Amino acid sequence: MTKKNWLMLGFVAALGAFYLLRFTDFGRPQPIQINVVERPFVPNPAPGEVLPLVFGLDRDFRLTSLRILPVTEVSNTKPKVAWQLSSKAGSEPVRGFTYADEIPGMKGPGSNPLPLIAGTTYRLELEAGRAKGHVEFTPHPALSAE
């Protein structure tokens, strides 16, 4: 092959690589899709208790970071976090979890998660390696069956 042919081949390969990286999802981590579901029944709820929250993921993930904080704290440099867990190696594969439950393979600073306040909007931020996702939710109060 001549030098001109090699230059054309290199140019076509560079254009193809540019197209793949710029106009497709090739090489980009897929976002984590999160569903938030409230369980509708709490027997004998304490005053101020909220409905139990279940967070569902679109597929199994080895989570490396989990953080729930009020939306008003998101832009602060040292936000007041309601619940935070992390893992260097990643958790066991999970497809969902409930608020304040242990996730195998993850540990958090402090002792227990803070109780959520009904009517306050929170943000859940998740990371699983390079994949990231977040969702905002507002817990509702648990009503007694009286």
Side-chain angles (χ1 to χ4, degrees):
M1 287 179 76
T2 66
K3 187 176 185 178
K4 183 178 177 182
N5 289 346
W6 281 110
L7 285 174
M8 285 299 277
L9 185 63
F11 180 71
V12 169
L15 275 177
F18 175 76
Y19 177 81
L20 281 174
L21 295 175
R22 179 70 174 102
F23 298 111
T24 67
D25 289 336
F26 184 77
R28 293 185 194 162
Q30 293 295 319
I32 301 173
Q33 296 178 4
I34 308 164
N35 297 318
V36 181
V37 179
E38 290 181 321
R39 294 287 123 200
F41 180 71
V42 176
N44 303 321
E49 188 176 356
V50 297
L51 291 173
L53 293 167
V54 178
F55 302 99
L57 310 177
D58 59 328
R59 60 186 184 273
D60 288 335
F61 284 99
R62 291 183 167 273
L63 299 177
T64 55
S65 174
L66 175 149
R67 183 168 86 155
I68 294 181
L69 64 159
V71 171
T72 56
E73 297 285 326
V74 169
S75 61
N76 291 350
T77 55
K78 293 190 177 190
K80 296 176 184 171
V81 178
W83 187 35
Q84 184 171 359
L85 298 174
S86 62
S87 173
K88 291 184 180 181
S91 68
E92 296 293 322
V94 294
R95 187 170 284 225
F97 53 91
T98 58
Y99 180 75
D101 275 355
E102 290 184 20
I103 298 176
M106 296 189 81
K107 297 192 187 286
S111 54
N112 293 328
L114 300 175
L116 298 177
I117 300 169
T120 302
T121 304
Y122 292 89
R123 174 182 276 196
L124 166 63
E125 298 173 346
L126 290 178
E127 291 182 21
R130 291 179 39 206
K132 296 180 181 181
H134 71 273
V135 67
E136 293 180 1
F137 62 94
T138 305
H140 294 92
L143 304 175
S144 61
E146 297 173 359

